[in-house]
């Protein structure tokens, strides 16, 4: 790996006062160099990591390779290696074959393999030790997402001096579902090592509090701050792209290539069974069948970004989506005019914004979704242009985007009604609704989210509603348990 801005960091001071720990590093590999990974999390945290001369620890996306720490865009990046076997057991297995479906309402059945659990423990320990090695005295360590739930407690045992925050990007399930997990106590205790535990929705925070009451060994111990911190997007970056001439030209071209339909519906998702892609395609199929939408003047553009392709449930979903797309086009397409355009690849940031500008209706029909940032990006890109958002009540974004057409995606009739209403929305009303949602997102962008979380994590921060007693007491209690380095 070589790039002008990179430099081998092995011989420089490895201690940092601010550390981000996430399963993935904020970079993607592009041939023999690194590129900044797209996404709000990176744009929110990268400036802080830079300002604090901090470090970001995570997996590179490759396996069986040892890459020394390096500098990228004024951040220290510390790769945490995975072997191919660990990728299968820790990442595809426990993280995405157990926790992901369990935390998303059991849309597919988790497989509680003990070997996967052991790999999860071992890799969490690897991340914790890497963090401890990089942390200056009194450092702030921010751990992200379901892959690393044991890390807060592991760090706490090793380093009572640091502040630890944990943010769960995905939902936290009701205690009745979470209780299936054979290692539920270990996960709860793992998270309780943090000073602040953040969730997307109030209901997630409430579910976690219930799990603590039911499964924590010492349920009376002073808990950390447990609160909702709904994540958001980099509104400025979206606005800039949406206002650029090049993006506007691409948007016009997209519509032209589709034959300038009267109504262009759009879905943009990772190809994941939580997103309800088959549900929206079925609803669309029926709307055409019922003559409520015309195949001569309507198109559906579905972008499905490839994801976790080694996992059987994802392969099955791909087959199902492709079958549905084929069925709808088989029934309603005419020579020279397709109805559903389906892309199974990712688009650049600019092209994604162009898709938002080209579409009239965005359909977000998640069966369960921590937040859904696509919904927030769409309303921000279209803030002064109108358009309509169909939004599942099971996406975290539904708590904030009240002016969307809210649907239950399991109810195909209701989903059809929602999609039809959105497609027929009066222009003035559509503009007002989008503008109101865009204003909400603007007031609560990703920088606001990160600041709020880190302020709560300050040693002097006032305690939240869940606290009752001091987080310091919890920390001291954990520190007394320090026994080993792993
Ligand atoms: C979700 C998770 C992220 C994850 C992303 C992509 O948004 O919350 O932690 O990075 O999906 O999934 P992947 O498995 O490719 O990292």
């Amino acid at each position: 790996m070589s790039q002008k801005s990179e430099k081998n960091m092995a011989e420089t001071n490895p201690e940092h006062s601010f550390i981000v720990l996430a399963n993935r590093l904020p970079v993607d590999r592009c041939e023999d160099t690194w590129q900044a990974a797209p996404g709000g999390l990176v744009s929110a945290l990268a400036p802080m990591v830079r300002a604090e001369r901090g470090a970001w620890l995570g997996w590179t996306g490759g396996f069986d390779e040892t890459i020394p720490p390096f500098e990228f865009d004024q951040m220290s990046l510390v790769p945490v290696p995975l072997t191919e076997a660990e990728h299968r057991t820790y990442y595809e297995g426990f993280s995405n074959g157990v926790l992901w479906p369990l935390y998303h309402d059991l849309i597919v059945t988790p497989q509680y393999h003990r070997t996967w659990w052991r790999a999860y423990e071992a890799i969490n320990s690897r991340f914790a030790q890497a963090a401890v090695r990089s942390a200056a005295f009194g450092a702030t360590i921010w751990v992200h997402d379901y892959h690393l739930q044991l890390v807060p407690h592991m760090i706490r045992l090793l380093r009572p001096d640091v502040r630890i925050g944990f943010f769960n990007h995905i939902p936290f399930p009701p205690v009745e579902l979470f209780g299936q997990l054979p290692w539920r106590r270990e996960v709860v205790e793992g998270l309780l090592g943090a000073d602040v535990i953040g969730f997307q929705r109030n209901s997630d925070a409430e579910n976690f509090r219930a799990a603590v009451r039911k499964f924590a060994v010492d349920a009376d111990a002073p808990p950390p701050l447990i609160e909702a911190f709904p994540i958001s997007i980099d509104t400025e970056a979206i606005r800039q792209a949406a206002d650029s001439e090049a993006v506007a030209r691409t948007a016009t071209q997209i519509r032209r290539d589709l034959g300038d339909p009267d109504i262009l519906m759009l879905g943009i998702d990772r190809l994941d069974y939580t997103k309800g892609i088959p549900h929206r395609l079925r609803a669309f199929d029926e709307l055409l069948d019922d003559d409520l939408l015309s195949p001569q003047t309507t198109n559906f553009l579905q972008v499905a970004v490839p994801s976790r392709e080694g996992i059987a449930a994802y392969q099955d979903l791909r087959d199902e989506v492709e079958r549905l797309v084929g069925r709808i086009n088989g029934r309603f397409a005419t020579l020279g005019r397709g109805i559903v355009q389906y892309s199974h690849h990712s688009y650049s940031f600019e092209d994604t914004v162009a898709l938002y500008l080209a579409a009239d209706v965005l359909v977000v029909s998640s069966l369960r979704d921590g937040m859904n940032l696509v919904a927030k990006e769409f309303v921000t890109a279209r803030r002064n242009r109108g358009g309509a958002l169909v939004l599942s009540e099971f996406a975290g974004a539904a708590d904030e985007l009240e002016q969307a057409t809210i649907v239950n995606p399991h109810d195909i009739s209701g989903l059809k009604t929602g999609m039809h209403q959105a497609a027929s929305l009066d222009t003035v009303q559509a503009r007002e609704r989008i503008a109101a949602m865009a204003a909400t997102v603007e007031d609560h962008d990703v920088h606001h989210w990160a600041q709020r979380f880190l302020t709560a994590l300050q040693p002097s921060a006032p305690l939240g509603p869940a606290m009752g007693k001091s987080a310091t007491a919890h920390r001291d209690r954990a520190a007394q348990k320090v026994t080993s380095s792993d």
Side-chain angles (χ1 to χ4, degrees):
M1 294 285 152
S2 67
Q3 190 178 0
K4 237 168 146 191
S5 59
E6 287 169 23
K7 168 169 82 130
N8 192 311
M9 295 285 292
E11 63 293 309
T12 59
N13 181 357
E15 294 206 334
H16 299 276
S17 58
F18 180 58
I19 293 177
V20 170
L21 223 69
N23 180 55
R24 285 185 188 273
L25 284 174
V27 286
D28 288 330
R29 199 188 315 243
C30 185
E31 296 183 355
D32 67 343
T33 184
W34 300 103
Q35 282 184 346
L41 185 65
V42 176
S43 45
L45 297 184
M48 294 183 197
V49 176
R50 275 197 286 273
E52 301 287 329
R53 301 197 56 73
W56 188 311
L57 279 61
W59 174 49
T60 58
F63 14 82
D64 298 320
E65 57 184 13
T66 308
I67 299 174
F70 60 94
E71 204 167 314
F72 177 88
D73 203 8
Q74 298 163 52
M75 292 184 281
S76 296
L77 302 190
V78 183
V80 179
L82 289 186
T83 65
E84 195 169 356
E86 289 163 347
H87 176 259
R88 251 194 324 273
T89 51
Y90 148 78
Y91 171 77
E92 291 186 337
F94 200 78
S95 298
N96 291 311
V98 175
L99 295 172
W100 182 266
L102 179 64
Y103 285 27
H104 287 89
D105 292 356
L106 304 176
I107 299 165
V108 308
T109 307
Q111 296 172 40
Y112 299 115
H113 296 307
R114 284 163 286 185
T115 48
W116 291 359
W117 163 251
R118 284 195 284 276
Y120 185 76
E121 276 185 309
I123 303 305
N124 271 246
S125 171
R126 186 175 299 163
F127 271 85
Q129 295 194 27
V132 160
R133 276 198 298 275
S134 301
F137 185 82
T140 295
I141 303 180
W142 192 356
V143 185
H144 289 265
D145 231 355
Y146 60 103
H147 316 84
L148 302 177
Q149 294 174 105
L150 308 181
V151 167
H153 183 64
M154 289 171 165
I155 296 179
R156 176 62 70 224
L157 293 178
L158 297 166
R159 289 289 296 272
D161 59 292
V162 297
R163 298 286 292 174
I164 306 170
F166 180 90
F167 184 75
N168 200 49
H169 291 250
I170 69 173
F172 194 87
V175 71
E176 294 79 10
L177 300 187
F178 180 69
Q180 283 194 3
L181 184 68
W183 307 279
R184 60 206 184 180
R185 184 181 56 77
E186 287 86 339
V187 166
V188 167
E189 297 274 330
L191 291 170
L192 287 176
D195 297 291
V196 175
I197 308 176
F199 295 93
Q200 299 281 24
R201 303 177 97 160
N202 287 327
S203 52
D204 299 316
E206 200 39 64
N207 288 344
F208 180 66
R209 286 189 202 109
V212 171
R213 285 194 294 274
K214 189 148 185 197
F215 301 122
V217 171
D218 188 2
D220 294 331
L225 176 64
I226 298 166
E227 204 169 290
F229 296 85
I231 199 170
S232 193
I233 58 163
D234 186 349
T235 50
E236 182 56 32
I238 297 278
R239 289 162 63 115
Q240 266 183 22
D243 293 344
S244 94
E245 276 181 30
V247 169
R249 270 198 304 276
T250 311
T252 308
Q253 191 60 46
I254 292 169
R255 281 192 85 100
R256 196 172 297 147
D257 291 347
L258 294 171
D260 279 320
D262 289 351
I263 300 163
L264 175 57
M265 294 195 168
L266 174 70
I268 303 190
D269 316 79
R270 275 185 314 101
L271 187 51
D272 194 297
Y273 51 78
T274 58
K275 303 291 184 183
I277 300 171
H279 298 64
R280 76 182 70 139
L281 289 175
R282 276 195 203 101
F284 183 65
D285 186 22
E286 287 193 20
L287 284 168
L288 295 170
D289 208 25
D290 296 349
D291 281 333
L292 288 169
L293 292 177
S294 158
Q296 270 76 52
T297 53
T298 313
N299 283 74
F300 201 115
L301 179 48
Q302 176 63 53
V303 173
V305 177
S307 187
R308 306 176 193 164
E309 292 184 287
I311 301 176
Y314 288 76
Q315 295 157 4
D316 294 346
L317 173 71
R318 180 175 176 184
D319 292 345
E320 185 183 1
V321 168
E322 291 180 357
R323 210 173 42 243
L324 281 165
V325 169
R327 176 188 142 94
I328 300 172
N329 282 333
R331 296 182 73 200
F332 298 106
T334 48
L335 287 180
R337 181 156 217 293
I339 306 294
V340 180
Q341 273 67 32
Y342 167 74
S343 303
H344 184 232
H345 51 82
S346 56
Y347 284 87
S348 68
F349 174 71
E350 282 74 18
D351 285 351
T352 304
V353 177
L355 287 165
Y356 296 145
L357 296 189
D360 301 297
V361 179
L362 178 77
V363 185
V364 175
S365 52
S366 311
L367 306 179
R368 180 55 74 191
D369 210 331
M371 177 52 64
N372 197 285
L373 296 177
V374 168
K376 291 189 171 180
E377 289 180 357
F378 177 76
V379 298
T380 301
R382 301 198 62 97
R383 67 199 184 284
N384 45 14
R385 296 173 174 90
L389 171 63
V390 176
L391 179 59
S392 164
E393 67 185 83
F394 303 116
D399 279 2
E400 295 167 82
L401 305 182
E402 292 166 3
Q403 296 82 0
T405 302
I406 302 288
V407 292
N408 168 6
H410 296 281
D411 168 13
I412 296 292
S413 300
L415 180 55
K416 279 169 67 182
T417 308
M419 286 166 66
H420 185 239
Q421 273 174 5
S424 346
L425 204 60
D426 154 84
T427 327
V428 175
Q429 215 186 7
R431 273 181 185 274
E432 282 173 8
R433 287 195 189 187
I434 288 279
M437 291 189 275
T440 304
V441 179
E442 178 77 44
D443 286 348
H444 297 91
D445 70 358
V446 75
H447 304 293
H448 175 267
W449 166 80
Q451 282 299 345
R452 223 191 114 216
F453 187 95
L454 290 171
T455 304
L457 192 51
Q458 294 297 311
S460 55
L463 304 177
M467 288 292 295
K469 299 178 205 161
S470 148
T472 321
H474 175 78
R475 196 175 50 198
D476 293 346
R477 178 177 65 96
Q480 283 161 13
K481 291 198 214 157
V482 174
T483 48
S484 77
S485 68
D486 192 354

